[in-house]
Amino acid sequence: MRLIIAEKPSLARAIADALPGKRRSVEGSIEVGDTTVTWCFGHLLEQAPPDAYDPRYKQWRLDHLPIVPSPWQLMPRPKARGQLAVIRRLLKASSEVVHAGDPDREGQLLVQEVIEHLRWRGPVKRLLISDLNRPAVAKALGRLEDNARYQPLYRAAETRARADWLYGINLTRAWTLTGRQAGHDGVLSVGRVQTPVLGLVVRRDREIADFTPRPFHVLWADFAVAHGQVRAWWQPGEQHPLDDQGRLLARAPAAALAVRLPGAEGRLSELDSRDKRQAPPLPYSLSALQVDAARRYKYSAKQVLDTCQALYERHTLITYPRSDCRYLPRGHHASLASALPTLGQVDATLAEWCRGADFTRRGRAFDDAKVGAHHALAPTGKIPDMARLSAPEANIYRLVVRNVLAQFHAHLETREVKACFEVLGERFAASGSEVLVAGWKPLFTTRDEPPPLPTLVRGEPARVTAAAVEDRETRPPEPFNDASLIKAMMNIGRYVDDPDVKRTLRESDGLGTEATRAGIIETLLERGYLVRVKSALRASRTGHALIASLPDPATRPERTALWEQRLSRIAEADDSEQAFLDALLGDLRSLLDAADAERMRQALGSAQGIEAPAPRRGGRKPAARRRGSNAAAGKTRRRRSSKASGGRQ
């Protein structure tokens, strides 16, 4: 018997549907001919808690740290024992096993750790599926690979899980116990990704709180030219008081010039006109979709992820959503060119976007060289019943289709004009843009474009018809929201000061992964470290105190982003997992030495921030309400062991 082990039930059903033969459902599996398909439902196994290695670790004590398991142990999750028993029984009757985890690092770990835990020693094939439509699944079934090829990917995922355990368990215990000495009664959770993300928000909140607005002044003038009128802005010279962005800090020079300008004769001294062509925005990765959906619809990152999962699993309308890629295989071009016009027949919005599309066009998104384990999100080609989709499902589906449809539209062509006027010995600048070919642009905006500049000729006379000074103030940075925080996690190099590290991180995948970024934000909200204020994400008082009490490197993104790079090298068989863990233990011991009750006391006493609301039903209790001994804290910690150590992150 051939046994296929899928990552989740929906994938197992899609595989069974694509197999030839009569289906028969048996407990925890589906039989089709001589093949049986069974499934996991997320991780069936989890890292064992500290007291599984030594009962004395039930009590949280600083002198136990660092806790370093040897050998490492996995244990069944409480609700997974029944399905593990099903898989164990099926393995005993199998001659061949097929690993059908999702095509990523965690998907490789999720199924393979079950196969190894149940001591299967026979051959294992690898089935990679990113599209649940029957033809795509059938095609994937015809090109199975040797799972040994993916062993480095598994080792990288296993190393990540162990490293997260070491980091989360040890630092959470250390800071919780130090917090208790300082008078904070509750768990203070520290993680290698969640804490730097919290650090981003805390530092942004501090910038906003410490911000002092400064007045600045701008002067505009309207110039009459042969073919119309142009508004231009004064460019004050260095003899005037300017800030580092060239803004005028004193009003008097602008006011004095404004009085002299009306009626003054000048000329158009400089004119630069350039035609530009802009390719369509690429299809979405998950994070890029989360950013756009948050901006357009105010959806949280988790809501977007959950909606994508429903469109992928329940409705089978889009391809695998947890992708970090924004390109499509060249082989998808023909099927999409055939399917997209049909999709336009069932939805007015899609129909409007299909107008003007040229389905023979092959946009830059179709590039095999830039597709890895995943490709960009795309419609599967299945005809949707829009009436059965919720409003968020319909909105997200349209966005996914739109960005793929854009690849079949012409480039946006514009004429960008920059003009400089000279009058009374001063320079005034104006700029404008004219759309020559709208191309893909109407798919992305319904706003009217501002009128272009009138026809201009270099050297032509220009007379000032009006002028005025506008008084403005510098503004603090905006607080983070779901869109900007996800974008910050994607482009984490922007928040790094060290130029060498910044250069290293420029091409990295950022902080967290496509699959985990939404969960990281939700975890920080559930633990009371972040608070949602309308659409903004602000740090709570506890969040501020935790960041202030930790060594600065533990709150910044450099370490975790470099972790991801090194894990990627392990996945490519270019680095050693043991060397990585040894280096981590050295860092961990230094961080543990920095745990200090006095620093914690000061941090708690001076913390600013927003009071976290009561937890949602079924959520974590506020730290102030949790009472008990070290042993009780240990029980609480064990119940959350996978979350504090990063879970699938």
Side-chain angles (χ1 to χ4, degrees), residues 105 192 510 513 560-568 649:
R105 196 171 71 193
R192 61 103 179 180
T513 68
T560 190
L562 291 171
W563 268 35
E564 283 297 328
Q565 287 192 337
R566 194 158 180 189
L567 288 169
S568 294
Q649 176 56 28

Side-chain angles (χ1 to χ4, degrees), residues 527-553:
R527 291 177 176 166
Y529 299 150
L530 291 185
V531 176
R532 216 183 276 284
V533 182
K534 296 183 179 178
S535 62
L537 294 168
R538 309 300 292 263
S540 68
R541 292 176 64 87
T542 303
H544 275 271
L546 177 59
I547 294 301
S549 69
L550 283 161
D552 195 56

Side-chain angles (χ1 to χ4, degrees), residues 146-169:
D146 188 341
N147 188 59
R149 177 182 174 186
Y150 296 91
Q151 193 68 8
L153 192 66
Y154 168 65
R155 293 299 173 205
E158 182 182 60
T159 302
R160 191 279 311 156
R162 292 175 177 179
D164 279 343
W165 191 100
L166 288 168
Y167 197 87
I169 291 288

